[in-house]
Amino acid sequence: MSGHTEVASGHAELAARFGTPLYVYDLDEVAAARRELADALPEEFELYYALKANPHPDVVRELRTGGDRGCKAEISSTGELAVALAAGFTGADCLYTGPGKTSAELDEAIELGVRTFSTDSVTDVRRVGTVAVGHGVVVDCLLRVNSANASATTSIRMTGTPSQFGFDSETLADVLPELRRVPGVRIAGFHFFPLSNAKDEASLVAEFQHTVELAAGLARDLDLPLRVLDIGGGFAAPYGVPGSRGSYPKLRAELTDVLDLHFPEWRAGSPRLACESGRFLVGTSGTLLATVSNVKVSRGRKFVILDAGINTFGGMSGLGRLMPVSVRLDGREAERASLVGPLCTPGDVLGREIELPVLSPGDLVAIPNAGAYGPTASLLGFLGRPAPTEVVVRGDEVVSVSRLELRRSAAP
């Protein structure tokens, strides 16, 4: 997190025009991230954008465009499906994921044309099949695999431990005969997601190599021809701190080598290959602007109170933990203080006893790299405060201005 009074003039003008807290998303930066990631991967890969990172329709629409290298949509709710459709995707462009899919949401998804689902259990596959049969269609199911071991020991682990996500790899041989008999589904391949926000390129490459090797071994041992192999993500970007996206200059060559070894026909589409990304594609596109509401001292400790707290910048990209903040001083006089939000809870802390520039009420603070896991990953409903305004820009042009609203309505 970078808080300083030397806010870019364009941001200051937007804050004066639309007020704070204010998210600003730069579509040029979104497009640049998409190009970088597409260039880092073999051209045969399909790239899915995980809408949970930022479901703003303009951001999603930007990632859909781009000709042959535009993204498809990875969704995990009918709400995200609605956003994807509004952004121009079709149901056939979507991969529906999540361990707790209900019959009602599956009914809606299949009705709207979704035909590929990532599944996490026998019950999940059965439920997908039952709904598909009701619609008179056959849908593709990818089996999400929770590997018994992993390569990278750093980053946020998403596999190798007991989990609600995926089939434990060592149990697939026992359950696959039953899965093959489920009406309404075709077992089309595997879906892996072993880690998030890889520490470095070497960690990511090693994980992908392990994933490809494991997928090939499972397909051989289970006699399961793979039509689709989704190797997951893990592409890194900073969150609320200064910095740039991860760089992957060796990734294309390393993936090519391991795929040549284990899937000789991959260039001909056997299997179709996919990976996914959220934060890398949108994280660096966003800036959160907030205003210092008050500065106070309590028992010798200073508190800088912003009009944006965990209801605005919730830290969910850290999987529930409050993110440590790092504030750039820009040569200004420094002091130690706690940076907090406006909520009536002692948990509304963005940084405890951190080094800050000396700030006063009315100062504008810019939090960089806030394009992923922003409003929809925050406690928007807590205390009934209005959601932050979101402005989308392309260069100097304001594309849209909007704000999420929570409304109570009578249940059906």
Side-chain angles (χ1 to χ4, degrees):
M1 178 173 178
S2 173
H4 51 93
T5 54
E6 297 176 12
V7 178
S9 60
H11 285 161
E13 292 169 3
L14 290 172
R17 181 176 175 186
F18 299 111
T20 60
L22 179 71
Y23 276 93
V24 181
Y25 306 126
D26 183 348
L27 294 183
D28 288 338
E29 184 70 8
V30 174
R34 186 194 63 223
R35 287 193 299 269
E36 284 180 26
L37 191 50
D39 289 344
L41 294 165
E43 62 184 17
E44 290 82 359
F45 269 76
E46 296 176 342
L47 179 59
Y48 283 86
Y49 170 55
L51 267 71
K52 60 179 172 287
N54 186 335
H56 192 290
D58 289 326
V59 171
V60 177
R61 188 176 296 110
E62 180 66 31
L63 287 164
R64 179 182 60 83
T65 60
D68 293 338
R69 303 313 299 270
C71 297
K72 293 188 174 182
E74 191 250 287
I75 59 174
S76 56
S77 71
T78 53
E80 288 185 345
L81 173 57
V83 171
L85 295 176
F89 288 103
T90 67
D93 295 324
C94 298
L95 170 63
Y96 203 117
T97 69
K101 296 179 283 291
T102 67
S103 296
E105 65 186 275
L106 288 169
D107 183 70
E108 182 174 348
I110 292 175
E111 175 68 26
L112 292 172
V114 178
R115 292 294 181 268
T116 307
F117 296 85
S118 174
T119 53
D120 297 82
S121 64
V122 173
T123 300
D124 200 16
V125 175
R126 285 176 178 163
R127 185 171 290 137
V128 172
T130 297
V131 177
V133 168
H135 283 268
V137 299
V138 175
V139 302
D140 284 339
C141 281
L142 305 184
L143 306 181
R144 179 163 174 172
V145 178
N146 179 10
S147 173
N149 49 62
S151 173
T153 57
T154 57
S155 314
I156 300 173
R157 298 298 325 157
M158 298 291 287
T159 193
T161 62
S163 174
Q164 70 267 44
F165 299 111
F167 293 85
D168 294 339
S169 57
E170 64 272 23
T171 69
L172 276 175
D174 297 328
V175 301
L176 188 58
E178 181 178 358
L179 299 179
R180 282 173 158 148
R181 293 193 296 268
V182 176
V185 304
R186 175 173 53 179
I187 306 302
F190 294 137
H191 178 202
F192 293 81
F193 198 92
L195 82 168
S196 179
N197 209 30
K199 178 183 179 182
D200 49 38
E201 184 179 31
S203 297
L204 185 66
V205 166
E207 201 64 61
F208 283 160
Q209 289 170 331
H210 173 73
T211 293
V212 171
E213 181 180 1
L214 175 60
L218 287 173
R220 180 186 63 250
D221 295 344
L222 299 173
D223 190 24
L224 180 64
L226 298 186
R227 296 176 55 250
V228 180
L229 173 59
D230 185 336
I231 64 173
F235 308 101
Y239 179 68
V241 296
S244 56
R245 293 183 293 272
S247 177
Y248 305 104
K250 300 177 182 178
L251 179 60
R252 177 183 283 231
E254 296 283 3
L255 276 175
T256 296
D257 288 345
V258 73
L259 288 166
D260 282 343
L261 179 62
H262 294 288
F263 293 102
E265 301 299 319
W266 69 277
R267 288 182 179 82
S270 180
R272 281 177 35 226
L273 296 164
C275 61
E276 59 207 66
S277 177
R279 79 178 74 209
F280 181 95
L281 292 170
V282 298
T284 59
S285 73
T287 302
L288 172 60
L289 305 177
T291 300
V292 177
S293 300
N294 195 11
V295 179
K296 64 164 289 187
V297 176
S298 174
R299 297 195 170 105
R301 291 188 176 182
K302 181 170 283 190
F303 294 82
V304 177
I305 304 169
L306 301 180
D307 60 0
I310 57 175
N311 61 317
T312 301
F313 191 62
M316 287 304 294
S317 82
L319 302 182
R321 64 185 174 91
L322 289 175
M323 302 298 294
V325 300
S326 174
V327 176
R328 193 168 59 234
L329 299 178
D330 292 333
R332 295 173 56 82
E333 181 184 355
E335 64 180 0
R336 296 196 71 81
S338 292
L339 196 63
V340 303
L343 305 183
C344 292
T345 170
D348 192 15
V349 179
L350 298 178
R352 197 182 307 276
E353 288 294 302
I354 61 173
E355 194 172 50
L356 290 166
V358 176
L359 294 167
S360 302
D363 281 345
L364 189 62
V365 172
I367 302 172
N369 295 323
Y373 302 104
T376 56
S378 304
L379 301 178
L380 279 180
F382 188 50
L383 294 181
R385 299 182 69 90
T389 301
E390 296 173 275
V391 174
V392 178
V393 300
R394 191 189 303 276
D396 295 330
E397 175 193 359
V398 173
V399 175
S400 69
V401 182
S402 61
R403 173 185 285 140
L404 290 169
E405 291 187 1
L406 299 177
R407 294 182 179 179
R408 189 180 299 276
S409 59

